[in-house]
Amino acid sequence: MSQTQDVTRTRTYSWTNPAEHAALLATTGGLELLRGMAAGELPPPPIMNLIDLAGMEVEEGSVTFYLDAQEFHYNPLGTMHGGVISTLLDSAAACSLHSTLPAGVGYTSLDLNVKFLRSVTADSGQLTCKGAILQKGRRTALTEARLTDAAGRLIAHATSSCMIFEAPRG
């Protein structure tokens, strides 16, 4: 190692079997499932451990995620990678729809349109990503999410079209 290189940082995390989450779709409504995760009664999906989600709040039709911006979220420019931002936006938008679905009904994002407005660093503080449903039909829904920093400034905005379907039986 040369004198100009920093000491390597490391991070360790774990996750639960994602098949356990999928199996719950057949017997558990979205609101109950998401509230169980928010309360710590059900484990979060693996992606939330990967990005180190700081918490979530759930109400019918809206889900809010909290994330502390950290170095391991950075891109080569020294700011949070757009993929992490997009993951938060997609999750909040789609989970807002999930919170309205009964047991046996699934969903998936068909698209995600993101507008990045500000960069994010560890100095941005805790991020808040709030999702909402703009329109819900029998087979599709239009959702949105807004990401703000600790000062309440809008960091990014997204809209997503989601498809609603009968969940596959295990």
Side-chain angles (χ1 to χ4, degrees), residues 9 72 111 113:
R9 292 158 169 87
F72 63 82
D111 61 28
N113 184 342

Side-chain angles (χ1 to χ4, degrees), residues 43-59:
I47 187 66
M48 297 309 170
N49 290 347
L50 177 66
I51 65 172
D52 198 22
L53 191 72
M56 65 188 281
E57 293 177 4
V58 179
E59 57 187 76

Side-chain angles (χ1 to χ4, degrees), residues 85-151:
I85 292 169
S86 295
T87 297
L88 280 172
L89 292 165
D90 180 55
S91 297
C95 286
S96 294
L97 172 62
H98 191 191
S99 72
T100 68
L101 299 177
V105 178
Y107 67 96
T108 190
S109 300
L110 294 171
D111 61 28
L112 183 69
N113 184 342
V114 177
K115 301 297 182 196
F116 300 100
L117 305 170
R118 296 179 187 272
S119 60
V120 176
T121 66
D123 292 334
S124 299
Q126 189 170 76
L127 305 178
T128 301
C129 190
K130 184 173 182 108
I133 299 170
L134 297 175
Q135 187 279 331
K136 179 182 169 191
R138 288 181 302 127
R139 296 286 173 224
T140 62
L142 179 64
T143 60
E144 73 170 345
R146 299 170 53 87
L147 181 68
T148 56
D149 65 11

Side-chain angles (χ1 to χ4, degrees), residues 4-23:
T4 59
Q5 291 177 317
D6 289 339
V7 175
T8 301
R9 292 158 169 87
T10 62
R11 179 172 171 254
T12 303
Y13 60 96
S14 59
W15 62 94
T16 58
N17 182 349
E20 293 175 22
H21 296 101

